[in-house]
Amino acid sequence: TDRISVHSSQALTPTTLAASQSKVVRKRRTRVADKPNYPLNLWSIIKNCIGKDLSKIPMPVNFNEPLSMLQRLTEDFEYAEILDKAAQAKDTCEQLAYVTAFTVSSYSTTSNRTGKPFNPLLGETYECDRTDDLGWRCINEQVSHHPPMAAQYCEGRGWRCWQEFTMTSKFRGKYIQIVPLGYAHVEFPATGNRYTWRKVTTTVHNIIVGKLWVDNHGDMEIFGERNAKGVKCHLKYLPYSYFTRDTQRRVKGVVMDSANQVKWVINGTWDSKIEIAPVTSTSGSTENPVYKTGNYKTAWTRTLPPPDSDKYYNFTLLACQLNEPEPSVAPTDSRLRPDQRLMEEGKWNESNQEKLRLEEGQRARRRQREAEAETAAAEGRPYPPYEPIWFSKEKEQGTDNLVHVYKGTYWDAKSKQDWSKSPSIF
């Protein structure tokens, strides 16, 4: 390909260059088909749904984008090279400053992406192996249907990341609020440093009239665990305001060491860039501290989507490549989901029919499980609950929470093409 990576963080030394030249990097597509024009009024569908949970409203694909929620979550790693940098940081507080910049970068695509991702079916998976060019690979699975929950595990150069993603969404008339639940973690095996965070609230405005627009707001706490215990970052996403002269979409925060001393400051916007700087001295009061800092350095800069991307759902380059057909993926992979593929090809009417068929199939499987559970209860025998394929429910260390842990078997099954455990969902 023309370049090794969209944003490669590895210096191209003669050895890595030779290695990458001997390894053939897949030529990937750079766009998807243009979005067709099927006018449909969103209000006509959701006026009956005020106050309801969005995940339970059957929506036609006209408001979707041709990606599933599992693929959308994989886009969190568009700027994974920030984690490559964090893995090389010698100082824990500096490492956390880079991790913080990474958590902000995952919001960059929300500024102009108003299409709703497809709700994955129970047991649907999505793999993304970009070790050849971006240096990471990721596996996602929809592990629960009510409430909808996805589990994700990703490994990169000197780091590994995992998260459970579930959310509550409420429709409030003029806007929709999406509140993520579940935590995300990153661990650097070389040092045993681990950091944990929860995402902030996203609001989609102008549901009824006008152009849809998105805001992210709220407080985020990123705290160190294991060998990084005690360090933490307080991060504030300032809500959009009509009355401020300040830049909109601002994000600001501080990284503190275990003695609660501020060591780094973080500043920027979630749709363009984040800068970090070490604190050299602190003055002022506790309520209104003044930090003297060293030079700011840019920890993340957004790569703008192609100029004509408004014709195809405002997808970035990575987003265009997520649903590209690939050989030898699991039979449950989102790339093989027929309604989503038809939508990407611009056949929206056929896609809507397929979507109804797939959702009815999912309801039928659920009814069958409920009937079997009732029979088992009547006969006094235990009925095993639904088990995910690539993740297992385990007690989190140090708490009583049940979390989905990656079993570590997916890539092995893929190399053997052993999909005997995969259900038939499409």
Side-chain angles (χ1 to χ4, degrees), residues 95-112:
Q95 185 173 60
L96 178 49
Y98 276 109
V99 168
T100 304
F102 170 74
T103 66
V104 177
S105 75
S106 65
Y107 287 98
S108 63
T109 55
T110 60
S111 64
N112 55 357

Side-chain angles (χ1 to χ4, degrees), residues 127-153:
E127 65 153 83
C128 189
D129 186 348
R130 299 295 295 256
T131 29
D132 60 351
D133 56 349
L134 305 178
W136 53 266
R137 66 180 186 180
C138 177
I139 170 69
N140 307 265
E141 180 180 357
Q142 189 75 357
V143 291
S144 158
H145 182 55
H146 281 307
M149 181 189 280
Q152 179 187 67
Y153 181 84

Side-chain angles (χ1 to χ4, degrees), residues 337-376:
R337 183 173 167 159
D339 53 351
Q340 194 174 302
R341 180 64 59 199
L342 285 162
M343 185 198 174
E344 185 186 287
E345 290 165 357
K347 302 172 184 158
W348 285 16
N349 294 335
E350 295 93 321
S351 174
N352 274 321
Q353 287 165 359
E354 258 317 83
K355 186 167 183 283
L356 291 173
R357 180 187 71 80
L358 289 170
E359 286 167 354
E360 185 42 54
Q362 171 157 271
R363 279 192 291 273
R365 288 191 294 278
R366 185 188 170 105
R367 282 194 298 268
Q368 186 188 348
R369 270 201 305 276
E370 284 168 352
E372 286 169 5
E374 271 177 37
T375 314

Side-chain angles (χ1 to χ4, degrees), residues 134-276:
L134 305 178
W136 53 266
R137 66 180 186 180
C138 177
I139 170 69
N140 307 265
E141 180 180 357
Q142 189 75 357
V143 291
S144 158
H145 182 55
H146 281 307
M149 181 189 280
Q152 179 187 67
Y153 181 84
C154 185
E155 49 206 327
R157 304 179 181 118
W159 52 268
R160 51 194 203 97
C161 231
W162 63 99
Q163 70 169 326
E164 264 186 350
F165 184 82
T166 174
M167 60 184 199
T168 60
S169 48
K170 276 287 187 281
F171 170 46
R172 300 275 183 229
K174 285 186 180 174
Y175 61 87
I176 286 171
Q177 274 207 329
I178 295 147
V179 183
L181 311 166
Y183 287 93
H185 314 265
V186 63
E187 185 171 71
F188 300 95
T191 55
N193 288 352
R194 181 190 284 187
Y195 306 94
T196 295
W197 66 94
R198 189 184 249 178
K199 294 180 166 171
V200 295
T201 302
T202 298
T203 303
V204 185
H205 293 270
N206 287 357
I207 295 296
I208 301 170
V209 64
K211 189 172 162 28
L212 291 176
W213 62 278
V214 177
D215 193 25
N216 298 298
H217 47 92
D219 292 355
M220 190 194 259
E221 288 269 333
I222 308 172
F223 45 92
E225 294 184 313
R226 297 274 171 92
N227 293 352
K229 203 167 178 58
V231 301
K232 54 192 167 295
C233 171
H234 294 291
L235 199 59
K236 229 180 182 33
Y237 286 68
L238 303 180
Y240 189 94
S241 161
Y242 292 104
F243 307 109
T244 177
R245 288 206 166 134
D246 203 2
T247 330
Q248 301 287 7
R249 299 172 171 171
R250 274 282 308 280
V251 181
K252 54 184 193 175
V254 293
V255 172
M256 299 163 147
D257 65 11
S258 45
N260 283 342
Q261 292 297 309
V262 172
K263 291 295 181 191
W264 285 78
V265 291
I266 286 136
N267 233 319
T269 55
W270 53 259
D271 64 339
S272 63
K273 71 171 180 183
I274 288 291
E275 296 180 317
I276 59 175

